[in-house]
């Protein structure tokens, strides 16, 4: 029986490391990714896709910076919306084409998605998320004074603007997503964590200058749409203990309690697998299954034969 699956695509699904960020390169990567997503649909599952947008938003911000003398720059929330639009366009078109080749229904839609955060989130008091281009120290001091930006040194490569990364509270448009999925429509939603918005004292939504972690938003989306499976697709087939070391150990079926112990022991880096495992564990704690695997192994992983599966405690581990 088919499952309702939220698929969180990693950045490599759109742009490979060190690859030139041309539209053609990104479209080819998306086409390859969508061929695999179509296989999940073909296997009878109901699919909701979300994706990252870090490099794309960074490039849009750079375009803004380069053209600021001629065209007024857009705020970060508008840049996030822009990236959602063109990535969603590539995905929707590619999925429609792939499903048509398989003679399957080609109902695919992209939803420009707002993610509500709390205006009182502590992240707004301590911005930590680097975005955009690199600057010299002198340029950083000037921008901080001129625009009020928070600037920080980034790994010895120069200075970048840092913005808040608040916790997602609510994905907007979920009822529409659930209705669409019920009619066998593949939905692309919450790209890049969603467009960050807050609710003001009058109850109106308003965009804010922030970046929401895509794995946390994918978790919130999975919870709100009542997904059966939360699947995080990355560039490795499994999660590993002692990754890259001689005693590297592949994880397959892992109960929540065991997975939390591995997190406590510090096996997963904050900048890579840590946020993915954190989100996967949180979803499995609700009594459902999370999967972390490569794109190629997605169909097999949904059948319980591949990937790392974070299992609710009542489940039997099928390693």
């Amino acid at each position: 029986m088919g499952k309702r699956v939220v698929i969180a695509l990693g950045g490599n699904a759109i742009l490979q490391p060190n690859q030139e960020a041309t539209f053609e390169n990104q479209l080819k990567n998306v086409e390859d990714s969508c061929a695999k997503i179509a296989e999940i649909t073909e296997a009878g599952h109901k699919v909701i896709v979300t994706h990252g947008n870090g490099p794309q938003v960074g490039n849009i911000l750079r375009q803004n910076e380069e053209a600021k003398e001629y065209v007024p720059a857009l705020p970060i929330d508008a840049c996030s919306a822009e990236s959602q639009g063109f990535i969603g366009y590539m995905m929707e078109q590619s999925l429609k084409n792939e499903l048509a080749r398989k003679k399957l229904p080609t109902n695919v839609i992209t939803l420009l998605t707002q993610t509500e955060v709390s205006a009182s989130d502590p992240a707004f008091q301590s911005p930590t998320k680097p975005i955009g281009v690199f600057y010299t120290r002198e340029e950083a001091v000037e921008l901080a004074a001129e625009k009020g930006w928070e600037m920080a040194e980034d790994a010895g490569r120069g200075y970048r603007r840092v913005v808040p990364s608040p916790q997602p509270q609510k994905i907007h448009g979920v009822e529409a997503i659930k209705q669409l999925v019920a009619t066998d429509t593949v939905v692309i939603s919450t790209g890049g964590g969603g467009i960050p918005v807050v609710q003001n004292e009058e109850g109106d939504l308003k965009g804010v200058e922030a970046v929401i972690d895509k794995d946390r938003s994918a978790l919130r989306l999975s919870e709100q749409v009542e997904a059966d499976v939360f699947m995080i697709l990355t560039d490795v087939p499994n999660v590993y203990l002692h990754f890259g070391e001689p005693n590297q150990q592949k994880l397959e079926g892992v109960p929540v309690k065991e997975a939390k112990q591995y997190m406590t022991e510090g096996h997963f880096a904050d900048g890579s697998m840590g946020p993915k495992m954190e989100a996967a564990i949180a979803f499995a704690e609700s009594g459902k299954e999370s999967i972390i695997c490569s794109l190629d192994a997605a169909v097999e992983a949904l059948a319980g034969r591949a990937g790392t599966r974070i299992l609710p405690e009542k489940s039997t581990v099928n390693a």
Side-chain angles (χ1 to χ4, degrees):
M1 184 175 176
K3 300 173 183 177
R4 181 179 293 182
V5 184
V6 169
I7 298 173
L9 284 176
N12 287 357
I14 304 168
L15 189 66
Q16 300 290 326
N18 302 316
Q19 189 177 35
E20 187 180 4
T22 65
F23 180 80
E24 291 75 17
N25 283 342
Q26 293 178 85
L27 179 59
K28 178 62 169 63
N29 292 333
V30 167
E31 287 172 343
D32 293 343
S33 301
C34 287
K36 296 298 181 182
I37 295 171
E39 291 178 7
I40 298 171
T41 302
E42 188 176 28
H45 302 294
K46 297 181 183 294
V47 172
I48 302 161
V49 183
T50 185
H51 58 81
N53 69 346
Q56 291 75 27
V57 165
N59 287 334
I60 291 169
L61 289 167
R62 182 172 183 179
Q63 289 170 340
N64 277 342
E65 191 65 21
E66 295 289 340
K68 65 185 178 182
E69 301 298 327
Y70 307 98
V71 180
L74 297 175
I76 295 171
D77 49 305
C79 293
S80 176
E82 188 176 336
S83 71
Q84 271 197 36
F86 90 79
I87 294 171
Y89 158 63
M90 291 191 294
M91 286 190 173
E92 182 175 330
Q93 184 181 85
S94 299
L95 262 175
K96 280 179 175 287
N97 292 339
E98 193 63 38
L99 292 170
R101 280 190 282 271
K102 291 178 175 294
K103 297 184 169 31
L104 295 170
T106 59
N107 302 323
V108 184
I109 192 162
T110 303
L111 298 181
L112 206 62
T113 311
Q114 299 177 77
T115 299
E116 188 173 336
V117 301
S118 171
S120 60
D121 192 300
F124 286 109
Q125 304 306 316
S126 55
T128 57
K129 178 68 175 175
I131 61 167
V133 300
F134 289 89
Y135 299 95
T136 65
R137 187 179 186 282
E138 292 73 20
E139 289 171 328
V141 170
E142 184 179 330
L143 286 166
E146 177 189 338
K147 298 189 176 184
W149 289 359
E150 294 276 350
M151 307 295 291
E153 198 272 335
D154 187 356
R157 297 176 293 176
Y159 287 77
R160 298 173 79 189
R161 183 183 180 188
V162 289
V163 298
S165 184
Q167 295 282 347
Q169 300 293 318
K170 176 184 177 182
I171 309 297
H172 284 260
V174 163
E175 288 307 313
I177 293 171
K178 290 163 74 172
Q179 291 174 24
L180 288 162
V181 170
T183 63
D184 295 324
T185 299
V186 177
V187 179
I188 301 161
S189 171
T190 324
I195 304 162
V197 298
V198 296
Q199 193 174 81
N200 64 19
E201 293 179 356
E202 290 74 36
D204 296 332
L205 295 176
K206 181 179 180 181
V208 289
E209 298 251 293
V211 173
I212 305 171
D213 182 84
K214 67 181 187 303
D215 294 316
R216 290 173 178 160
S217 286
L219 166 64
R220 183 68 67 219
L221 176 66
S222 300
E223 293 169 339
Q224 287 186 234
V225 301
E226 301 172 335
D228 299 308
V229 179
F230 173 34
M231 172 175 275
I232 301 175
L233 299 182
T234 183
D235 55 354
V236 292
N238 288 79
V239 179
Y240 297 87
L241 302 181
H242 312 291
F243 182 70
E245 300 174 15
N247 59 338
Q248 176 174 295
Q249 178 185 342
K250 178 171 68 174
L251 297 180
E252 296 180 298
V254 186
V256 166
K257 185 176 179 180
E258 186 178 328
K260 291 174 77 171
Q261 180 62 35
Y262 294 145
M263 285 286 292
T264 302
E265 292 170 358
H267 284 282
F268 315 115
D270 288 342
S272 56
M273 194 56 73
K276 295 174 175 55
M277 281 295 287
E278 180 186 335
I281 289 168
F283 186 76
E285 284 185 307
S286 71
K288 299 178 181 179
E289 182 180 6
S290 299
I291 297 172
I292 301 175
C293 67
S294 66
L295 187 61
D296 290 341
V299 175
E300 286 292 291
L302 280 166
R305 297 190 292 267
T308 296
R309 304 179 310 284
I310 311 300
L311 308 169
E313 290 302 325
K314 64 183 179 182
S315 296
T316 301
V317 176
N318 298 313

